């Protein structure tokens, strides 16, 4: 189901219902699709009963409905319930906003936080039967969005955390995360403002499980970052900050996402998106549904629009992010190669470390705050 | 008799009116202060003593305070921020004083026009002004572009401690100039004439009359800039760097602890209350200098 998805479902429903009236009740082959169509019809009628704008808490950049197919199908089908956006800078920010009283209908944390939010009692599971594009989604990612057998997260975008550098200015000693603290480029490096820097330090230091570092390991990671922090000119939390600094030449090396690589190439900068030998960190974004949302069906319709092949392809072509929709393929061979889209195991070892839940997140956060304050 | 009867209720009404005037005038601001200052500060203070207000009853603990006072990280950051604020405040006062002196005492007819020009930046958003500096100091900004064009090495001023000091100074200059201007403007010119009659040179008159009498304005101006910059986090996050040596400030740490990382409101509250305590002490210390009569008597 793409842009015209719901009207199509409605037509199908009527036809099937007429057929059902004409055929004998015992034709069980028809009964299945008819039930599905009944559900679709119920979905349409339920979502049209829901009122008000859909409140989405999302990352900046995913809110533009200026004709891009990201969620255009939803806007087309529900013009009276257009999404209203609030921005989150990271999952902790989203958590703080929700705890402070913000009531979004849905939001988008990444894979390392799915279990945390599922346990938090703030969210409820989705009903995949209300998402017609659900069948196209990567089954591995779908399974990773489950908690206690329920579908708490609907996978959407995915990509890698790796190093972006100016090929005309930088010559890495090796393909390693240590480029983020290479003395030769002091003052030209950007780190990311997140505990992921401790995970990266752990990978560099060779810890067996960087997401579950012991106190001693965490201290080693912290000390490494503190000792190298003077080399970093920026610790970015907003992608805009990174993009501006990189495009202006203030920064030559950065922890970055694929979209930054695309952006810098569009700026005609000679850039490389490096896969470190310690492996990049892969991430998957999940839509999560807030408990007690008054727009349950509209939220499903919105996620269905995001899950469509058309949206997925647009995301791959324009942001160089992968999409959980396995049917979509980017137009660019470069993007295809960078995202390892030909490799079904592109986001897991031995190609990348898939980000995951951090049981001792509070300790990691404390260590990271100390790195910044040091 | 009729006059007496008519006259009796007036003082009562007046008394009643007088009795209502004070709470009427003060009620709203006091209520406002209680609701939006004392209560929030109380909540923050409570957070500094326990894990969460939302949770079921929990024991009060001083652990976070203990960790804070025994960890050099945040205290060093505070000391560094204190130094940065002091530098900004002293520099801005030093720049603003001659400016205010000229406006107040030069006798120029255009002093209010010049004053308007001085406060003109207030007509633009704070964020826009900082962002403008971000461009000016950036690698492709006018300064570095000019240096590159004449074959010199770019200074790369953005994301440095210098950038934070410069931008904070620029932002707070009008705030500092105004109280000094007011203080100098209200100066009794007769005192300067008397000093001149007693053969004091202009420098002596300035040192023994003008400067002492303008000191309350100077201290007020100093506090106007010192206290807010001590907790500043917007400017350092836009033009500052990654550590205290490159402009990361104590206010940034508080902001990060509350909203940026995994919420650590307990530590953030401890940092905030400590800052509030230091500012309160400084206010008490400086308040004696804000008494014009006392300064004059000294």
């Amino acid at each position: 189901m793409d842009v015209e998805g719901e009207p199509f479902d409605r037509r199908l429903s009527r036809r099937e219902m007429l057929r059902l009236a004409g055929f004998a009740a015992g034709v069980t082959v028809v009964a299945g699709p008819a039930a599905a169509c009944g559900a679709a019809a119920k979905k349409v009628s339920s979502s049209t009963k829901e009122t008000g704008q859909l409140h989405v808490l999302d990352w900046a950049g995913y809110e533009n409905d200026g004709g891009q197919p990201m969620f255009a199908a939803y806007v087309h089908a529900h013009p009276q319930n257009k999404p209203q956006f609030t921005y989150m800078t990271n999952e902790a920010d989203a958590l703080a906003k929700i705890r402070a009283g913000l009531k979004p209908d849905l939001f988008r944390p990444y894979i390392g936080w799915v279990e945390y939010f599922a346990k938090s009692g703030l969210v409820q599971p989705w009903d995949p039967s209300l998402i017609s594009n659900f069948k196209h989604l990567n089954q591995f990612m779908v399974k990773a969005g489950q908690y206690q057998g329920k579908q708490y997260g609907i996978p959407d975008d995915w990509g890698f955390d790796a190093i972006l550098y100016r090929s005309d200015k930088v010559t890495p000693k090796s393909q390693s995360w240590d480029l983020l603290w290479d003395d030769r480029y002091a003052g030209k490096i950007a780190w990311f403002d997140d505990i992921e820097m401790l995970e990266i330090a752990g990978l560099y230091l060779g810890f067996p499980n960087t997401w579950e570092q012991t106190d001693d390991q965490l201290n080693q990671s912290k000390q490494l970052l503190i000792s190298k922090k003077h080399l970093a000119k920026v610790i970015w939390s907003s992608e805009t900050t990174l993009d501006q600094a990189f495009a202006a030449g203030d920064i030559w090396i950065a922890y970055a996402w694929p979209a930054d690589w695309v952006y810098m190439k569009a700026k005609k900068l000679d850039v490389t998106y490096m896969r470190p030998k310690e492996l990049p960190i892969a991430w998957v974004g999940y839509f999560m549904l807030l408990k007690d949302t008054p727009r349950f069906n509209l939220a499903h319709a919105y996620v269905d629009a995001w899950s469509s092949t058309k949206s997925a392809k647009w995301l791959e072509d324009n942001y160089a992010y992968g999409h959980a929709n396995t049917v979509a393929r980017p137009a660019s061979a470069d993007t295809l190669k960078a995202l390892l889209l030909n490799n079904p195991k592109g986001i897991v070892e031995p190609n990348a470390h898939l980000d995951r839940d951090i049981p001792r997140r509070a300790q990691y956060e404390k260590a990271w705050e100390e790195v910044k304050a040091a | 008799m009729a006059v007496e009867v008519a006259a009796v209720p007036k003082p009562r009404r007046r008394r009643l009116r007088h009795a209502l005037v004070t709470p009427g005038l003060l009620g709203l601001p006091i209520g406002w202060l209680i609701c939006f200052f004392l209560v929030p500060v109380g909540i923050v203070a409570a957070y500094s003593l326990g894990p969460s207000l939302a949770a079921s009853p929990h024991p009060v603990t001083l652990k976070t305070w203990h960790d804070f006072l025994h960890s050099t990280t945040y205290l060093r950051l505070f000391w560094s921020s204190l130094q940065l604020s002091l530098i900004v405040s002293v520099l801005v006062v030093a720049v603003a004083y001659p400016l205010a002196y000229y406006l107040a005492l030069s006798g120029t007819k255009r002093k209010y026009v010049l004053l308007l020009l001085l406060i003109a930046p207030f007509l633009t958003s704070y964020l826009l002004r900082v962002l403008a500096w971000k461009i000016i100091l950036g690698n492709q900004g006018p300064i570095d572009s000019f240096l590159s064009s004449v074959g010199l090495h770019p200074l790369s001023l953005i994301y440095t401690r210098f950038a934070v000091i410069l931008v904070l100074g620029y932002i707070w200059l009008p705030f500092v100039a105004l109280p000094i201007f007011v203080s100098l403007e209200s100066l009794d010119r007769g005192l300067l004439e008397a000093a001149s009659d007693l053969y004091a040179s202009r420098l002596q008159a300035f040192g023994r009359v003008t400067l002492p009498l303008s000191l309350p304005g100077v201290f007020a101006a100093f506090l106007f800039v010192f206290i807010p910059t001590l907790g500043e986090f917007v400017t350092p996050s836009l033009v500052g760097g990654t550590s205290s040596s490159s402009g990361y400030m104590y206010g940034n740490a508080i902001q990060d602890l509350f909203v940026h990382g995994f919420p650590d409101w307990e530590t953030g509250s401890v940092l905030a209350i400590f800052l509030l305590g230091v500012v309160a002490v400084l206010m008490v210390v400086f308040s004696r200098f804000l008494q014009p009569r006392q300064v004059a008597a000294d």
Side-chain angles (χ1 to χ4, degrees):
Chain A
M1 186 177 81
D2 290 330
V3 179
E4 67 284 2
E6 288 187 356
F8 174 75
D9 281 344
R10 257 201 306 271
R11 280 199 301 272
L12 195 68
S13 164
R14 286 175 191 145
R15 283 178 197 165
E16 292 291 351
M17 291 303 288
L18 286 170
R19 278 180 195 167
L20 275 172
F23 284 109
V27 185
T28 52
V29 178
V30 180
C37 294
K42 185 184 168 192
K43 173 186 74 174
V44 171
S45 63
S46 301
S47 60
T48 48
K49 279 179 192 167
E50 293 172 351
T51 56
Q53 284 187 279
L54 184 71
H55 191 172
V56 182
L57 177 60
D58 211 337
W59 303 66
Y62 283 158
E63 77 287 5
N64 192 338
D65 65 346
Q68 287 90 339
M70 288 190 283
F71 51 87
Y74 170 83
V75 175
H76 180 70
H78 301 282
Q80 304 303 317
N81 311 103
K82 282 183 181 174
Q84 170 196 352
F85 289 91
T86 303
Y87 298 119
M88 52 187 278
T89 54
N90 55 33
E91 290 86 348
D93 178 47
L95 177 64
K97 285 187 165 98
I98 292 168
R99 280 194 173 157
L102 187 76
K103 292 186 187 304
D105 297 302
L106 71 161
F107 71 117
R108 187 198 306 247
Y110 282 81
I111 190 165
W113 282 76
V114 169
E115 189 178 332
Y116 178 90
F117 279 111
K119 285 177 180 171
S120 72
L122 296 169
V123 296
Q124 60 175 315
W126 295 91
D127 179 354
S129 72
L130 297 180
I131 301 169
S132 64
N133 288 302
F134 190 73
K135 58 183 177 289
H136 296 310
L137 302 182
N138 181 309
Q139 284 309 300
F140 172 78
M141 295 178 186
V142 164
K143 198 161 176 53
Q146 293 174 352
Y147 178 67
Q148 292 185 338
K150 291 179 180 170
Q151 199 67 45
Y152 276 90
I154 302 294
D156 193 72
D157 56 331
W158 60 266
F160 298 106
D161 302 327
I163 300 176
L164 180 70
Y165 69 84
R166 287 273 296 264
S167 318
D168 55 333
K169 306 273 189 189
V170 175
T171 311
K173 289 176 195 164
S174 63
Q175 300 278 302
S176 167
W177 279 111
D178 70 5
L179 189 58
L180 287 179
W181 41 83
D182 190 325
D183 292 344
R184 296 173 300 160
Y185 303 110
K188 291 292 180 185
I189 299 170
W191 290 3
F192 183 41
D193 189 356
D194 191 90
I195 57 171
E196 199 174 336
M197 288 305 301
L198 290 162
E199 297 166 20
I200 290 168
L203 289 175
Y204 172 74
L205 293 168
F207 299 148
N209 185 350
T210 195
W211 288 269
E212 293 186 32
Q213 296 181 30
T214 63
D215 284 343
D216 180 50
Q217 289 172 337
L218 197 55
N219 192 44
Q220 285 183 55
S221 298
K222 186 176 84 176
Q223 292 307 327
L224 171 71
L225 295 177
I226 288 174
S227 68
K228 302 292 185 185
K229 197 177 69 164
H230 67 281
L231 302 169
K233 186 143 191 164
V234 176
I235 298 181
W236 64 273
S237 55
S238 153
E239 205 173 1
T240 312
T241 305
L242 168 69
D243 290 344
Q244 285 176 351
F246 204 102
D250 296 328
I251 297 298
W252 294 345
I253 300 165
Y255 162 104
W257 299 325
D260 307 310
W261 169 57
V262 172
Y263 182 72
M264 294 312 151
K265 282 205 300 184
K267 289 267 178 189
K268 308 290 180 202
L269 290 179
D270 187 4
V271 285
T272 299
Y273 195 52
M274 185 179 90
R275 297 179 67 82
K277 64 185 178 193
E278 300 92 351
L279 302 184
I281 294 173
W283 43 263
V284 184
Y286 285 86
F287 285 113
M288 296 193 88
L289 184 65
L290 267 287
K291 203 173 182 178
D292 304 325
T293 168
R295 284 170 281 275
F296 181 87
N297 289 287
L298 286 171
H300 280 77
Y302 179 80
V303 169
D304 198 19
W306 262 102
S307 303
S308 70
T309 306
K310 196 170 180 180
S311 296
K313 183 169 164 41
W314 190 91
L315 196 74
E316 289 173 352
D317 286 341
N318 290 277
Y319 283 2
Y321 288 158
H323 194 288
N325 185 315
T326 51
V327 181
R329 279 289 177 272
S332 154
D334 276 356
T335 308
L336 195 76
K337 191 179 164 192
L339 289 172
L340 304 179
L341 280 172
N342 288 327
N343 185 345
K345 292 186 175 178
I347 62 166
V348 293
E349 286 87 357
N351 297 298
H353 299 288
L354 184 59
D355 203 10
R356 62 204 70 170
D357 184 51
I358 299 174
R360 301 200 314 139
R361 190 176 291 279
Q363 284 86 345
Y364 274 63
E365 288 290 352
K366 204 172 182 64
W368 176 238
E369 289 306 329
E370 285 177 14
V371 170
K372 286 200 292 177
Chain B
M1 186 64 186
V3 174
E4 280 176 11
V5 170
V8 171
K10 276 187 180 173
R12 277 187 190 165
R13 275 210 296 273
R14 273 186 201 146
R15 275 204 298 275
L16 187 65
R17 223 180 294 151
H18 279 299
L20 289 174
V21 162
T22 306
L25 286 174
L26 292 180
L28 187 64
I30 287 175
W32 182 275
L33 269 180
I34 289 171
C35 289
F36 299 111
F37 180 69
L38 292 180
V39 171
V41 167
I43 292 171
V44 172
Y47 265 105
S48 77
L49 299 173
S52 166
L53 282 180
S56 53
H58 56 270
V60 170
T61 172
L62 291 172
K63 186 182 179 305
T64 319
W65 275 101
H66 178 271
D67 291 348
F68 168 73
L69 294 171
H70 288 81
S71 158
T72 52
T73 305
Y74 290 118
L75 290 176
R76 271 188 198 156
L77 182 64
F78 181 79
W79 177 238
S80 163
S81 300
L82 197 75
Q83 287 175 314
L84 192 145
S85 293
L86 266 174
I87 292 168
V88 171
S89 309
V90 170
L91 284 177
V92 173
V93 168
V95 172
Y97 195 94
L99 199 66
Y101 184 91
Y102 174 77
L103 289 175
L105 300 177
S106 68
T108 174
K109 288 177 184 174
R110 295 190 187 88
K111 68 177 171 186
Y112 289 107
V113 176
L114 294 172
L115 196 65
L116 191 67
L117 284 176
L118 182 69
I119 59 171
F122 281 122
L123 300 173
T124 319
S125 140
Y126 176 95
L127 267 181
L128 274 181
R129 279 178 280 153
V130 181
L131 286 170
W133 273 107
K134 193 171 177 173
I135 294 166
I136 292 167
L137 300 172
N139 197 264
Q140 292 181 340
I143 299 170
D144 277 358
S145 296
F146 170 75
L147 291 172
S148 298
S149 69
V150 296
L152 295 172
H153 195 273
L155 293 172
S156 199
L157 297 168
I158 191 75
Y159 308 124
T160 61
R161 192 174 167 89
F162 171 78
V164 175
I165 292 172
L166 179 70
V167 176
L168 283 177
Y170 163 78
I171 296 287
W172 288 99
L173 185 66
F175 280 104
V176 173
L178 282 175
I180 301 175
F181 170 79
V182 170
S183 162
L184 288 168
E185 253 246 314
S186 58
L187 197 68
D188 183 354
R189 308 295 167 95
L191 292 171
L192 293 176
E193 283 170 22
S196 176
D197 290 346
L198 293 168
Y199 301 106
S201 66
R202 290 182 71 174
L203 195 62
Q204 282 173 320
F206 173 77
R208 302 184 73 167
V209 179
T210 312
L211 184 61
L213 288 176
S214 63
L215 275 181
V218 171
F219 281 116
F222 178 85
L223 284 181
F224 271 12
V225 64
F226 180 71
I227 290 171
T229 53
L230 192 54
E232 178 67 74
F233 68 93
V234 176
T235 299
S237 66
L238 288 171
V239 300
T242 59
S243 63
S244 57
S245 59
S246 57
Y248 184 87
M249 292 184 73
Y250 189 78
N252 295 98
I254 296 175
Q255 190 227 4
D256 283 346
L257 286 162
F258 271 103
V259 300
H260 217 205
F262 192 71
D264 185 0
W265 287 21
E266 294 79 47
T267 310
S269 300
V270 167
L271 264 68
I273 294 293
F274 180 78
L275 175 65
L276 196 69
V278 171
V279 167
V281 169
L282 287 173
M283 283 290 288
V284 170
V285 170
F286 277 101
S287 62
R288 79 173 291 272
F289 299 108
L290 296 174
Q291 307 299 325
R293 283 179 195 164
Q294 195 175 349
V295 173
D298 289 346

